[in-house]
Amino acid sequence: MNVNAEANLIEEIVEATVKYDDKRCVDLARQAMDQGMDPVKVIQDGYSRGMQIVGDKFATLEYCLPEVMLAADAMDAATEVLKPHLMKSHDHDSQGIIVLGVIQGDIHDLGKNIVKIMLRAAGFTVHDLGNDTPVRQFIEKAEAVGADIIAASAILTTTMSYMPDISTILNELGLRDKYMIMLGGAPVIADWAIEVGADGYGEDAVEAVEVAKNLMRKKRGG
Ligand code: B12
């Protein structure tokens, strides 16, 4: 597929997401995969950019919540089509065990779901706690499954204020050295994440994989 045709398809994906046209979103995902396009690029430049525009329209009151929800559902449906293309076969041992969830009070899970798919595709074992997850639940799950990394997502500025509790509570329980903490989500920035006790921060799902790999190297003393 030539560069122009790829760019056109990406633009169509952005448009279909903004118009919350779920059937078209799914159909375009299939077309992109049939043409051998990179599913990561399709998510980042296509559906995520479309959601960004939806967010802008929500902010300017052009869209209300139902439109945002329909667009989110359309993106979700398209991601289902892309998922198998992101998953490689992993017969070898897990790269590491990650407990991942959206922090308490927050139901924005599209980003977390993409991060999960990418981490699994890279060979990590990911335990998904879903959304609106209390901090103690991250820790209980990490203890139960012998996790290496606790990863949390926050999309609201109000809910990101729970993130520092992960490190604080781990410290209180004497468990801080057992786990690497990785934070992410739109309002979170790297300096703040480190300041509140995280070991790593990822800007997007691609970076999440790189950061998780680095944290595993660090944890294994490499
Ligand atoms: C979709 C959406 C919704 C959907 C969520 C559906 C779902 N299942 O997720 C619905 C309609 C339910 C919703 C509800 C609300 N929303 Co809303 N929503 C959005 C919107 C449009 C898109 C968010 C999104 O999914 N982006 C696409 C994903 C792929 O990107 P992402 O989440 O950033 O994730 C990427 C990175 O951040 C990173 N990442 C994410 N998590 C992690 C984790 C780790 C560990 C790492 C390393 C990386 C990482 O990787 C991801 C992939 O690349 C944004 C606007 C915007 N422009 O972002 C508003 C927005 C986030 N919402 C907002 C608000 C205010 C709300 C509501 C309070 C509205 C209301 N009045 O009821 C409620 C909150 C409900 C709650 N308690 O959570 C505000 C937040 C303002 C703020 N600064 O806090 C925004 C910014 C809109 C706005 N401009 O005002 N929303």
Side-chain angles (χ1 to χ4, degrees), residues 51-52 69 105 107-111 153 155-157 185-186 202-203 205:
M51 282 313 294
Q52 196 64 42
M69 286 169 89
I107 61 165
H108 295 87
D109 61 3
L110 289 178
S153 173
I155 308 300
L156 294 169
T157 42
E203 165 129 37

Side-chain angles (χ1 to χ4, degrees), residues 17-21 25 50-51 54 63 66-76 110:
T17 311
V18 174
K19 288 186 178 157
Y20 44 89
D21 184 341
C25 276
M51 282 313 294
V54 169
Y63 276 6
E67 281 105 337
V68 180
M69 286 169 89
L70 289 171
D73 287 347
M75 176 173 175
D76 227 14
L110 289 178

Side-chain angles (χ1 to χ4, degrees), residues 43-44 47-48 51-56 58-59 65-66 68-69 72-73 75-76 100-101 105-115 131 151-159 182-187 201-208 211:
I43 288 183
Q44 305 259 84
Y47 298 101
S48 289
M51 282 313 294
Q52 196 64 42
I53 297 169
V54 169
D56 295 344
F58 179 64
L65 270 186
V68 180
M69 286 169 89
D73 287 347
M75 176 173 175
D76 227 14
L100 170 71
D106 206 326
I107 61 165
H108 295 87
D109 61 3
L110 289 178
K112 181 268 294 167
N113 290 341
I114 294 171
V115 169
N131 57 32
S153 173
I155 308 300
L156 294 169
T157 42
T158 46
T159 59
M182 175 166 75
L183 301 181
Y201 156 85
E203 165 129 37
D204 55 33
V206 176
E207 221 178 274
V211 172

